[in-house]
PDB file of all heavy atoms in Angstrom:
ATOM      1  N   GLY C   1     148.517  43.295 -40.530  1.00  0.00           N
ATOM      2  CA  GLY C   1     148.166  42.514 -41.698  1.00  0.00           C
ATOM      3  C   GLY C   1     148.441  41.034 -41.493  1.00  0.00           C
ATOM      4  O   GLY C   1     147.683  40.193 -41.905  1.00  0.00           O
ATOM      5  N   GLY C   2     149.598  40.719 -40.832  1.00  0.00           N
ATOM      6  CA  GLY C   2     149.928  39.328 -40.614  1.00  0.00           C
ATOM      7  C   GLY C   2     148.903  38.666 -39.673  1.00  0.00           C
ATOM      8  O   GLY C   2     148.485  37.529 -39.911  1.00  0.00           O
ATOM      9  N   VAL C   3     148.480  39.390 -38.591  1.00  0.00           N
ATOM     10  CA  VAL C   3     147.489  38.816 -37.700  1.00  0.00           C
ATOM     11  C   VAL C   3     146.175  38.580 -38.435  1.00  0.00           C
ATOM     12  O   VAL C   3     145.523  37.579 -38.254  1.00  0.00           O
ATOM     13  CB  VAL C   3     147.293  39.731 -36.494  1.00  0.00           C
ATOM     14  CG1 VAL C   3     146.086  39.306 -35.665  1.00  0.00           C
ATOM     15  CG2 VAL C   3     148.556  39.734 -35.594  1.00  0.00           C
ATOM     16  N   GLN C   4     145.779  39.521 -39.257  1.00  0.00           N
ATOM     17  CA  GLN C   4     144.536  39.361 -40.021  1.00  0.00           C
ATOM     18  C   GLN C   4     144.594  38.164 -40.976  1.00  0.00           C
ATOM     19  O   GLN C   4     143.593  37.429 -41.068  1.00  0.00           O
ATOM     20  CB  GLN C   4     144.294  40.637 -40.829  1.00  0.00           C
ATOM     21  CG  GLN C   4     143.900  41.868 -39.998  1.00  0.00           C
ATOM     22  CD  GLN C   4     143.714  43.122 -40.807  1.00  0.00           C
ATOM     23  OE1 GLN C   4     144.234  43.209 -41.917  1.00  0.00           O
ATOM     24  NE2 GLN C   4     142.993  44.096 -40.255  1.00  0.00           N
ATOM     25  N   LEU C   5     145.717  37.946 -41.594  1.00  0.00           N
ATOM     26  CA  LEU C   5     145.846  36.815 -42.501  1.00  0.00           C
ATOM     27  C   LEU C   5     145.800  35.514 -41.708  1.00  0.00           C
ATOM     28  O   LEU C   5     145.233  34.499 -42.172  1.00  0.00           O
ATOM     29  CB  LEU C   5     147.135  36.895 -43.297  1.00  0.00           C
ATOM     30  CG  LEU C   5     147.168  38.037 -44.384  1.00  0.00           C
ATOM     31  CD1 LEU C   5     148.549  38.059 -45.002  1.00  0.00           C
ATOM     32  CD2 LEU C   5     146.144  37.782 -45.431  1.00  0.00           C
ATOM     33  N   VAL C   6     146.442  35.465 -40.555  1.00  0.00           N
ATOM     34  CA  VAL C   6     146.371  34.277 -39.729  1.00  0.00           C
ATOM     35  C   VAL C   6     144.947  33.976 -39.330  1.00  0.00           C
ATOM     36  O   VAL C   6     144.472  32.824 -39.408  1.00  0.00           O
ATOM     37  CB  VAL C   6     147.278  34.416 -38.491  1.00  0.00           C
ATOM     38  CG1 VAL C   6     147.028  33.288 -37.488  1.00  0.00           C
ATOM     39  CG2 VAL C   6     148.745  34.446 -38.866  1.00  0.00           C
ATOM     40  N   CYS C   7     144.249  34.968 -38.893  1.00  0.00           N
ATOM     41  CA  CYS C   7     142.828  34.797 -38.481  1.00  0.00           C
ATOM     42  C   CYS C   7     141.960  34.340 -39.634  1.00  0.00           C
ATOM     43  O   CYS C   7     141.137  33.450 -39.485  1.00  0.00           O
ATOM     44  CB  CYS C   7     142.260  36.106 -37.877  1.00  0.00           C
ATOM     45  SG  CYS C   7     143.105  36.627 -36.350  1.00  0.00           S
ATOM     46  N   LEU C   8     142.147  34.923 -40.793  1.00  0.00           N
ATOM     47  CA  LEU C   8     141.423  34.538 -41.998  1.00  0.00           C
ATOM     48  C   LEU C   8     141.773  33.058 -42.364  1.00  0.00           C
ATOM     49  O   LEU C   8     140.853  32.309 -42.790  1.00  0.00           O
ATOM     50  CB  LEU C   8     141.658  35.486 -43.141  1.00  0.00           C
ATOM     51  CG  LEU C   8     141.124  36.853 -43.085  1.00  0.00           C
ATOM     52  CD1 LEU C   8     141.592  37.686 -44.251  1.00  0.00           C
ATOM     53  CD2 LEU C   8     139.546  36.770 -43.097  1.00  0.00           C
ATOM     54  N   GLY C   9     143.010  32.689 -42.219  1.00  0.00           N
ATOM     55  CA  GLY C   9     143.370  31.309 -42.511  1.00  0.00           C
ATOM     56  C   GLY C   9     142.711  30.310 -41.580  1.00  0.00           C
ATOM     57  O   GLY C   9     142.254  29.267 -42.007  1.00  0.00           O
ATOM     58  N   LEU C  10     142.654  30.648 -40.297  1.00  0.00           N
ATOM     59  CA  LEU C  10     141.979  29.776 -39.344  1.00  0.00           C
ATOM     60  C   LEU C  10     140.503  29.647 -39.646  1.00  0.00           C
ATOM     61  O   LEU C  10     139.914  28.543 -39.643  1.00  0.00           O
ATOM     62  CB  LEU C  10     142.191  30.297 -37.930  1.00  0.00           C
ATOM     63  CG  LEU C  10     143.624  30.237 -37.361  1.00  0.00           C
ATOM     64  CD1 LEU C  10     143.704  30.922 -36.051  1.00  0.00           C
ATOM     65  CD2 LEU C  10     144.108  28.788 -37.261  1.00  0.00           C
ATOM     66  N   LEU C  11     139.888  30.788 -39.943  1.00  0.00           N
ATOM     67  CA  LEU C  11     138.433  30.727 -40.301  1.00  0.00           C
ATOM     68  C   LEU C  11     138.230  29.940 -41.585  1.00  0.00           C
ATOM     69  O   LEU C  11     137.330  29.140 -41.698  1.00  0.00           O
ATOM     70  CB  LEU C  11     137.964  32.172 -40.528  1.00  0.00           C
ATOM     71  CG  LEU C  11     137.786  33.052 -39.273  1.00  0.00           C
ATOM     72  CD1 LEU C  11     137.456  34.463 -39.601  1.00  0.00           C
ATOM     73  CD2 LEU C  11     136.705  32.464 -38.345  1.00  0.00           C
ATOM     74  N   GLY C  12     139.131  30.109 -42.563  1.00  0.00           N
ATOM     75  CA  GLY C  12     138.993  29.373 -43.785  1.00  0.00           C
ATOM     76  C   GLY C  12     139.167  27.848 -43.597  1.00  0.00           C
ATOM     77  O   GLY C  12     138.465  27.080 -44.258  1.00  0.00           O
ATOM     78  N   GLU C  13     140.051  27.460 -42.652  1.00  0.00           N
ATOM     79  CA  GLU C  13     140.191  26.006 -42.394  1.00  0.00           C
ATOM     80  C   GLU C  13     138.916  25.428 -41.851  1.00  0.00           C
ATOM     81  O   GLU C  13     138.486  24.319 -42.278  1.00  0.00           O
ATOM     82  CB  GLU C  13     141.369  25.836 -41.410  1.00  0.00           C
ATOM     83  CG  GLU C  13     141.699  24.427 -41.098  1.00  0.00           C
ATOM     84  CD  GLU C  13     142.291  23.685 -42.322  1.00  0.00           C
ATOM     85  OE1 GLU C  13     142.953  24.342 -43.108  1.00  0.00           O
ATOM     86  OE2 GLU C  13     142.095  22.458 -42.415  1.00  0.00           O
ATOM     87  N   TYR C  14     138.267  26.131 -40.921  1.00  0.00           N
ATOM     88  CA  TYR C  14     137.033  25.588 -40.377  1.00  0.00           C
ATOM     89  C   TYR C  14     135.918  25.623 -41.374  1.00  0.00           C
ATOM     90  O   TYR C  14     135.130  24.693 -41.497  1.00  0.00           O
ATOM     91  CB  TYR C  14     136.627  26.407 -39.151  1.00  0.00           C
ATOM     92  CG  TYR C  14     137.366  25.957 -37.846  1.00  0.00           C
ATOM     93  CD1 TYR C  14     138.531  26.536 -37.491  1.00  0.00           C
ATOM     94  CD2 TYR C  14     136.814  24.988 -37.043  1.00  0.00           C
ATOM     95  CE1 TYR C  14     139.229  26.125 -36.354  1.00  0.00           C
ATOM     96  CE2 TYR C  14     137.471  24.596 -35.906  1.00  0.00           C
ATOM     97  CZ  TYR C  14     138.661  25.176 -35.546  1.00  0.00           C
ATOM     98  OH  TYR C  14     139.297  24.756 -34.410  1.00  0.00           O
ATOM     99  N   VAL C  15     135.830  26.713 -42.172  1.00  0.00           N
ATOM    100  CA  VAL C  15     134.766  26.727 -43.212  1.00  0.00           C
ATOM    101  C   VAL C  15     134.990  25.659 -44.231  1.00  0.00           C
ATOM    102  O   VAL C  15     134.024  25.035 -44.729  1.00  0.00           O
ATOM    103  CB  VAL C  15     134.810  28.153 -43.882  1.00  0.00           C
ATOM    104  CG1 VAL C  15     133.864  28.155 -45.088  1.00  0.00           C
ATOM    105  CG2 VAL C  15     134.331  29.216 -42.903  1.00  0.00           C
ATOM    106  N   GLY C  16     136.232  25.384 -44.587  1.00  0.00           N
ATOM    107  CA  GLY C  16     136.532  24.325 -45.548  1.00  0.00           C
ATOM    108  C   GLY C  16     136.111  22.984 -45.024  1.00  0.00           C
ATOM    109  O   GLY C  16     135.568  22.133 -45.773  1.00  0.00           O
ATOM    110  N   ARG C  17     136.306  22.739 -43.727  1.00  0.00           N
ATOM    111  CA  ARG C  17     135.903  21.449 -43.170  1.00  0.00           C
ATOM    112  C   ARG C  17     134.379  21.378 -43.134  1.00  0.00           C
ATOM    113  O   ARG C  17     133.799  20.246 -43.275  1.00  0.00           O
ATOM    114  CB  ARG C  17     136.484  21.298 -41.772  1.00  0.00           C
ATOM    115  CG  ARG C  17     137.967  21.083 -41.823  1.00  0.00           C
ATOM    116  CD  ARG C  17     138.617  21.056 -40.453  1.00  0.00           C
ATOM    117  NE  ARG C  17     140.091  20.884 -40.674  1.00  0.00           N
ATOM    118  CZ  ARG C  17     140.644  19.747 -40.827  1.00  0.00           C
ATOM    119  NH1 ARG C  17     139.959  18.632 -40.834  1.00  0.00           N
ATOM    120  NH2 ARG C  17     142.001  19.684 -41.006  1.00  0.00           N
ATOM    121  N   ILE C  18     133.683  22.452 -42.842  1.00  0.00           N
ATOM    122  CA  ILE C  18     132.251  22.433 -42.883  1.00  0.00           C
ATOM    123  C   ILE C  18     131.722  22.095 -44.267  1.00  0.00           C
ATOM    124  O   ILE C  18     130.816  21.276 -44.465  1.00  0.00           O
ATOM    125  CB  ILE C  18     131.673  23.794 -42.397  1.00  0.00           C
ATOM    126  CG1 ILE C  18     131.982  23.996 -40.915  1.00  0.00           C
ATOM    127  CG2 ILE C  18     130.145  23.825 -42.605  1.00  0.00           C
ATOM    128  CD1 ILE C  18     131.637  25.411 -40.422  1.00  0.00           C
ATOM    129  N   HIS C  19     132.348  22.717 -45.290  1.00  0.00           N
ATOM    130  CA  HIS C  19     131.998  22.481 -46.673  1.00  0.00           C
ATOM    131  C   HIS C  19     132.234  21.019 -47.039  1.00  0.00           C
ATOM    132  O   HIS C  19     131.385  20.364 -47.654  1.00  0.00           O
ATOM    133  CB  HIS C  19     132.831  23.409 -47.558  1.00  0.00           C
ATOM    134  CG  HIS C  19     132.619  23.104 -49.024  1.00  0.00           C
ATOM    135  ND1 HIS C  19     131.486  23.381 -49.710  1.00  0.00           N
ATOM    136  CD2 HIS C  19     133.511  22.604 -49.972  1.00  0.00           C
ATOM    137  CE1 HIS C  19     131.603  23.050 -50.967  1.00  0.00           C
ATOM    138  NE2 HIS C  19     132.806  22.603 -51.160  1.00  0.00           N
ATOM    139  N   SER C  20     133.339  20.470 -46.594  1.00  0.00           N
ATOM    140  CA  SER C  20     133.670  19.060 -46.887  1.00  0.00           C
ATOM    141  C   SER C  20     132.680  18.118 -46.258  1.00  0.00           C
ATOM    142  O   SER C  20     132.248  17.102 -46.814  1.00  0.00           O
ATOM    143  CB  SER C  20     135.079  18.730 -46.460  1.00  0.00           C
ATOM    144  OG  SER C  20     135.421  17.383 -46.709  1.00  0.00           O
ATOM    145  N   ALA C  21     132.281  18.423 -44.964  1.00  0.00           N
ATOM    146  CA  ALA C  21     131.339  17.601 -44.284  1.00  0.00           C
ATOM    147  C   ALA C  21     129.952  17.648 -44.923  1.00  0.00           C
ATOM    148  O   ALA C  21     129.248  16.625 -44.993  1.00  0.00           O
ATOM    149  CB  ALA C  21     131.237  18.014 -42.811  1.00  0.00           C
ATOM    150  N   LEU C  22     129.539  18.812 -45.372  1.00  0.00           N
ATOM    151  CA  LEU C  22     128.236  18.898 -46.015  1.00  0.00           C
ATOM    152  C   LEU C  22     128.153  18.181 -47.344  1.00  0.00           C
ATOM    153  O   LEU C  22     127.089  17.740 -47.755  1.00  0.00           O
ATOM    154  CB  LEU C  22     127.899  20.391 -46.216  1.00  0.00           C
ATOM    155  CG  LEU C  22     127.605  21.218 -44.968  1.00  0.00           C
ATOM    156  CD1 LEU C  22     127.400  22.697 -45.331  1.00  0.00           C
ATOM    157  CD2 LEU C  22     126.385  20.640 -44.252  1.00  0.00           C
ATOM    158  N   GLN C  23     129.323  18.030 -48.047  1.00  0.00           N
ATOM    159  CA  GLN C  23     129.302  17.279 -49.320  1.00  0.00           C
ATOM    160  C   GLN C  23     129.067  15.787 -49.049  1.00  0.00           C
ATOM    161  O   GLN C  23     128.587  15.097 -49.940  1.00  0.00           O
ATOM    162  CB  GLN C  23     130.641  17.458 -49.994  1.00  0.00           C
ATOM    163  CG  GLN C  23     130.826  18.884 -50.567  1.00  0.00           C
ATOM    164  CD  GLN C  23     132.174  19.015 -51.202  1.00  0.00           C
ATOM    165  OE1 GLN C  23     133.208  18.517 -50.689  1.00  0.00           O
ATOM    166  NE2 GLN C  23     132.226  19.705 -52.346  1.00  0.00           N
ATOM    167  N   ARG C  24     129.400  15.305 -47.840  1.00  0.00           N
ATOM    168  CA  ARG C  24     129.198  13.921 -47.490  1.00  0.00           C
ATOM    169  C   ARG C  24     129.804  12.918 -48.486  1.00  0.00           C
ATOM    170  O   ARG C  24     129.199  11.881 -48.774  1.00  0.00           O
ATOM    171  CB  ARG C  24     127.685  13.630 -47.287  1.00  0.00           C
ATOM    172  CG  ARG C  24     127.031  14.511 -46.244  1.00  0.00           C
ATOM    173  CD  ARG C  24     125.597  14.146 -46.065  1.00  0.00           C
ATOM    174  NE  ARG C  24     125.474  12.817 -45.469  1.00  0.00           N
ATOM    175  CZ  ARG C  24     125.547  12.527 -44.199  1.00  0.00           C
ATOM    176  NH1 ARG C  24     125.732  13.527 -43.326  1.00  0.00           N
ATOM    177  NH2 ARG C  24     125.438  11.294 -43.780  1.00  0.00           N
ATOM    178  N   ARG C  25     130.981  13.218 -48.968  1.00  0.00           N
ATOM    179  CA  ARG C  25     131.682  12.279 -49.844  1.00  0.00           C
ATOM    180  C   ARG C  25     132.290  11.183 -49.038  1.00  0.00           C
ATOM    181  O   ARG C  25     132.828  11.423 -47.960  1.00  0.00           O
ATOM    182  CB  ARG C  25     132.730  13.023 -50.651  1.00  0.00           C
ATOM    183  CG  ARG C  25     132.177  14.020 -51.657  1.00  0.00           C
ATOM    184  CD  ARG C  25     133.296  14.806 -52.364  1.00  0.00           C
ATOM    185  NE  ARG C  25     132.734  15.781 -53.303  1.00  0.00           N
ATOM    186  CZ  ARG C  25     133.473  16.681 -53.907  1.00  0.00           C
ATOM    187  NH1 ARG C  25     134.758  16.816 -53.609  1.00  0.00           N
ATOM    188  NH2 ARG C  25     132.935  17.532 -54.764  1.00  0.00           N
ATOM    189  N   PRO C  26     132.299   9.959 -49.499  1.00  0.00           N
ATOM    190  CA  PRO C  26     132.889   8.816 -48.778  1.00  0.00           C
ATOM    191  C   PRO C  26     134.406   9.092 -48.589  1.00  0.00           C
ATOM    192  O   PRO C  26     135.048   9.611 -49.468  1.00  0.00           O
ATOM    193  CB  PRO C  26     132.617   7.616 -49.621  1.00  0.00           C
ATOM    194  CG  PRO C  26     131.490   7.997 -50.563  1.00  0.00           C
ATOM    195  CD  PRO C  26     131.621   9.499 -50.731  1.00  0.00           C
ATOM    196  N   ALA C  27     134.890   8.660 -47.432  1.00  0.00           N
ATOM    197  CA  ALA C  27     136.324   8.820 -47.177  1.00  0.00           C
ATOM    198  C   ALA C  27     137.159   7.738 -47.895  1.00  0.00           C
ATOM    199  O   ALA C  27     138.351   7.901 -48.086  1.00  0.00           O
ATOM    200  CB  ALA C  27     136.608   8.728 -45.661  1.00  0.00           C
ATOM    201  N   TYR C  28     136.485   6.690 -48.361  1.00  0.00           N
ATOM    202  CA  TYR C  28     137.182   5.573 -49.042  1.00  0.00           C
ATOM    203  C   TYR C  28     136.195   4.825 -49.931  1.00  0.00           C
ATOM    204  O   TYR C  28     134.986   4.918 -49.724  1.00  0.00           O
ATOM    205  CB  TYR C  28     137.849   4.614 -48.003  1.00  0.00           C
ATOM    206  CG  TYR C  28     136.840   3.993 -47.039  1.00  0.00           C
ATOM    207  CD1 TYR C  28     136.149   2.810 -47.374  1.00  0.00           C
ATOM    208  CD2 TYR C  28     136.574   4.607 -45.795  1.00  0.00           C
ATOM    209  CE1 TYR C  28     135.212   2.280 -46.476  1.00  0.00           C
ATOM    210  CE2 TYR C  28     135.656   4.070 -44.950  1.00  0.00           C
ATOM    211  CZ  TYR C  28     134.998   2.885 -45.271  1.00  0.00           C
ATOM    212  OH  TYR C  28     134.058   2.349 -44.411  1.00  0.00           O
ATOM    213  N   PHE C  29     136.771   4.056 -50.870  1.00  0.00           N
ATOM    214  CA  PHE C  29     135.964   3.209 -51.778  1.00  0.00           C
ATOM    215  C   PHE C  29     136.557   1.827 -51.733  1.00  0.00           C
ATOM    216  O   PHE C  29     137.780   1.681 -51.919  1.00  0.00           O
ATOM    217  CB  PHE C  29     135.968   3.754 -53.192  1.00  0.00           C
ATOM    218  CG  PHE C  29     135.362   5.135 -53.343  1.00  0.00           C
ATOM    219  CD1 PHE C  29     136.203   6.266 -53.330  1.00  0.00           C
ATOM    220  CD2 PHE C  29     133.975   5.286 -53.503  1.00  0.00           C
ATOM    221  CE1 PHE C  29     135.660   7.518 -53.427  1.00  0.00           C
ATOM    222  CE2 PHE C  29     133.458   6.608 -53.626  1.00  0.00           C
ATOM    223  CZ  PHE C  29     134.269   7.677 -53.604  1.00  0.00           C
ATOM    224  N   ILE C  30     135.757   0.824 -51.446  1.00  0.00           N
ATOM    225  CA  ILE C  30     136.226  -0.550 -51.366  1.00  0.00           C
ATOM    226  C   ILE C  30     136.207  -1.189 -52.739  1.00  0.00           C
ATOM    227  O   ILE C  30     135.164  -1.271 -53.382  1.00  0.00           O
ATOM    228  CB  ILE C  30     135.360  -1.350 -50.349  1.00  0.00           C
ATOM    229  CG1 ILE C  30     135.563  -0.791 -48.923  1.00  0.00           C
ATOM    230  CG2 ILE C  30     135.706  -2.844 -50.407  1.00  0.00           C
ATOM    231  CD1 ILE C  30     134.762  -1.508 -47.868  1.00  0.00           C
ATOM    232  N   ALA C  31     137.343  -1.734 -53.163  1.00  0.00           N
ATOM    233  CA  ALA C  31     137.439  -2.451 -54.437  1.00  0.00           C
ATOM    234  C   ALA C  31     136.903  -3.823 -54.270  1.00  0.00           C
ATOM    235  O   ALA C  31     136.148  -4.349 -55.108  1.00  0.00           O
ATOM    236  CB  ALA C  31     138.867  -2.455 -54.957  1.00  0.00           C
ATOM    237  N   TYR C  32     137.303  -4.539 -53.199  1.00  0.00           N
ATOM    238  CA  TYR C  32     136.769  -5.892 -52.922  1.00  0.00           C
ATOM    239  C   TYR C  32     137.001  -6.202 -51.453  1.00  0.00           C
ATOM    240  O   TYR C  32     137.879  -5.674 -50.805  1.00  0.00           O
ATOM    241  CB  TYR C  32     137.381  -6.931 -53.821  1.00  0.00           C
ATOM    242  CG  TYR C  32     138.895  -7.066 -53.708  1.00  0.00           C
ATOM    243  CD1 TYR C  32     139.519  -7.697 -52.663  1.00  0.00           C
ATOM    244  CD2 TYR C  32     139.715  -6.577 -54.736  1.00  0.00           C
ATOM    245  CE1 TYR C  32     140.912  -7.848 -52.563  1.00  0.00           C
ATOM    246  CE2 TYR C  32     141.109  -6.701 -54.656  1.00  0.00           C
ATOM    247  CZ  TYR C  32     141.657  -7.348 -53.535  1.00  0.00           C
ATOM    248  OH  TYR C  32     143.006  -7.464 -53.482  1.00  0.00           O
ATOM    249  N   ASP C  33     136.171  -7.137 -50.982  1.00  0.00           N
ATOM    250  CA  ASP C  33     136.285  -7.685 -49.648  1.00  0.00           C
ATOM    251  C   ASP C  33     136.189  -9.198 -49.799  1.00  0.00           C
ATOM    252  O   ASP C  33     135.161  -9.684 -50.298  1.00  0.00           O
ATOM    253  CB  ASP C  33     135.195  -7.138 -48.719  1.00  0.00           C
ATOM    254  CG  ASP C  33     135.265  -7.709 -47.304  1.00  0.00           C
ATOM    255  OD1 ASP C  33     136.089  -8.622 -47.055  1.00  0.00           O
ATOM    256  OD2 ASP C  33     134.503  -7.216 -46.456  1.00  0.00           O
ATOM    257  N   THR C  34     137.215  -9.965 -49.449  1.00  0.00           N
ATOM    258  CA  THR C  34     137.208 -11.390 -49.657  1.00  0.00           C
ATOM    259  C   THR C  34     136.179 -12.119 -48.842  1.00  0.00           C
ATOM    260  O   THR C  34     135.875 -13.305 -49.084  1.00  0.00           O
ATOM    261  CB  THR C  34     138.595 -11.983 -49.355  1.00  0.00           C
ATOM    262  OG1 THR C  34     138.961 -11.647 -47.997  1.00  0.00           O
ATOM    263  CG2 THR C  34     139.643 -11.454 -50.316  1.00  0.00           C
ATOM    264  N   ALA C  35     135.520 -11.428 -47.894  1.00  0.00           N
ATOM    265  CA  ALA C  35     134.488 -12.057 -47.074  1.00  0.00           C
ATOM    266  C   ALA C  35     133.081 -11.682 -47.592  1.00  0.00           C
ATOM    267  O   ALA C  35     132.100 -12.139 -47.059  1.00  0.00           O
ATOM    268  CB  ALA C  35     134.571 -11.623 -45.626  1.00  0.00           C
ATOM    269  N   ASP C  36     133.074 -10.882 -48.691  1.00  0.00           N
ATOM    270  CA  ASP C  36     131.769 -10.447 -49.201  1.00  0.00           C
ATOM    271  C   ASP C  36     131.146 -11.620 -50.028  1.00  0.00           C
ATOM    272  O   ASP C  36     131.781 -12.080 -51.054  1.00  0.00           O
ATOM    273  CB  ASP C  36     131.951  -9.229 -50.084  1.00  0.00           C
ATOM    274  CG  ASP C  36     130.641  -8.656 -50.586  1.00  0.00           C
ATOM    275  OD1 ASP C  36     129.561  -9.240 -50.244  1.00  0.00           O
ATOM    276  OD2 ASP C  36     130.663  -7.646 -51.310  1.00  0.00           O
ATOM    277  N   PRO C  37     129.953 -12.077 -49.689  1.00  0.00           N
ATOM    278  CA  PRO C  37     129.333 -13.187 -50.437  1.00  0.00           C
ATOM    279  C   PRO C  37     129.119 -12.843 -51.874  1.00  0.00           C
ATOM    280  O   PRO C  37     129.157 -13.720 -52.794  1.00  0.00           O
ATOM    281  CB  PRO C  37     128.014 -13.416 -49.704  1.00  0.00           C
ATOM    282  CG  PRO C  37     128.184 -12.819 -48.351  1.00  0.00           C
ATOM    283  CD  PRO C  37     129.144 -11.692 -48.515  1.00  0.00           C
ATOM    284  N   ALA C  38     128.911 -11.563 -52.204  1.00  0.00           N
ATOM    285  CA  ALA C  38     128.666 -11.154 -53.598  1.00  0.00           C
ATOM    286  C   ALA C  38     129.919 -11.301 -54.423  1.00  0.00           C
ATOM    287  O   ALA C  38     129.861 -11.372 -55.630  1.00  0.00           O
ATOM    288  CB  ALA C  38     128.176  -9.728 -53.623  1.00  0.00           C
ATOM    289  N   GLY C  39     131.084 -11.313 -53.778  1.00  0.00           N
ATOM    290  CA  GLY C  39     132.334 -11.490 -54.538  1.00  0.00           C
ATOM    291  C   GLY C  39     133.136 -12.615 -53.925  1.00  0.00           C
ATOM    292  O   GLY C  39     134.272 -12.440 -53.524  1.00  0.00           O
ATOM    293  N   ALA C  40     132.458 -13.782 -53.838  1.00  0.00           N
ATOM    294  CA  ALA C  40     133.106 -14.922 -53.112  1.00  0.00           C
ATOM    295  C   ALA C  40     134.360 -15.422 -53.824  1.00  0.00           C
ATOM    296  O   ALA C  40     135.272 -15.970 -53.163  1.00  0.00           O
ATOM    297  CB  ALA C  40     132.097 -16.052 -53.011  1.00  0.00           C
ATOM    298  N   SER C  41     134.434 -15.307 -55.092  1.00  0.00           N
ATOM    299  CA  SER C  41     135.652 -15.753 -55.817  1.00  0.00           C
ATOM    300  C   SER C  41     136.843 -14.851 -55.448  1.00  0.00           C
ATOM    301  O   SER C  41     136.652 -13.661 -55.200  1.00  0.00           O
ATOM    302  CB  SER C  41     135.433 -15.791 -57.291  1.00  0.00           C
ATOM    303  OG  SER C  41     135.131 -14.426 -57.766  1.00  0.00           O
ATOM    304  N   THR C  42     137.993 -15.418 -55.481  1.00  0.00           N
ATOM    305  CA  THR C  42     139.229 -14.661 -55.139  1.00  0.00           C
ATOM    306  C   THR C  42     139.463 -13.563 -56.185  1.00  0.00           C
ATOM    307  O   THR C  42     139.462 -13.842 -57.392  1.00  0.00           O
ATOM    308  CB  THR C  42     140.440 -15.624 -55.127  1.00  0.00           C
ATOM    309  OG1 THR C  42     140.179 -16.574 -54.143  1.00  0.00           O
ATOM    310  CG2 THR C  42     141.669 -14.818 -54.741  1.00  0.00           C
ATOM    311  N   PRO C  43     139.570 -12.301 -55.752  1.00  0.00           N
ATOM    312  CA  PRO C  43     139.782 -11.224 -56.710  1.00  0.00           C
ATOM    313  C   PRO C  43     141.090 -11.446 -57.479  1.00  0.00           C
ATOM    314  O   PRO C  43     142.062 -11.968 -56.959  1.00  0.00           O
ATOM    315  CB  PRO C  43     139.813  -9.955 -55.826  1.00  0.00           C
ATOM    316  CG  PRO C  43     139.253 -10.375 -54.531  1.00  0.00           C
ATOM    317  CD  PRO C  43     139.513 -11.841 -54.384  1.00  0.00           C
ATOM    318  N   THR C  44     141.118 -10.960 -58.686  1.00  0.00           N
ATOM    319  CA  THR C  44     142.332 -11.015 -59.495  1.00  0.00           C
ATOM    320  C   THR C  44     142.980  -9.650 -59.449  1.00  0.00           C
ATOM    321  O   THR C  44     142.429  -8.659 -59.814  1.00  0.00           O
ATOM    322  CB  THR C  44     142.003 -11.350 -60.968  1.00  0.00           C
ATOM    323  OG1 THR C  44     141.339 -12.609 -60.966  1.00  0.00           O
ATOM    324  CG2 THR C  44     143.238 -11.413 -61.812  1.00  0.00           C
ATOM    325  N   VAL C  45     144.249  -9.639 -58.961  1.00  0.00           N
ATOM    326  CA  VAL C  45     145.009  -8.414 -58.904  1.00  0.00           C
ATOM    327  C   VAL C  45     146.134  -8.555 -59.919  1.00  0.00           C
ATOM    328  O   VAL C  45     146.939  -9.464 -59.826  1.00  0.00           O
ATOM    329  CB  VAL C  45     145.577  -8.194 -57.486  1.00  0.00           C
ATOM    330  CG1 VAL C  45     146.415  -6.906 -57.472  1.00  0.00           C
ATOM    331  CG2 VAL C  45     144.453  -8.074 -56.477  1.00  0.00           C
TER     332      VAL C  45
END
């Protein structure tokens, strides 16, 4: 039973990564870039 659970866990890890890759969600979101001409003014934090 322990070996089966380990194997299922490994398979689940790979399947989860495939699922995450297919969703194509961005890994990050940029709030501002001080070099961006569209936001040339200094951001207010």
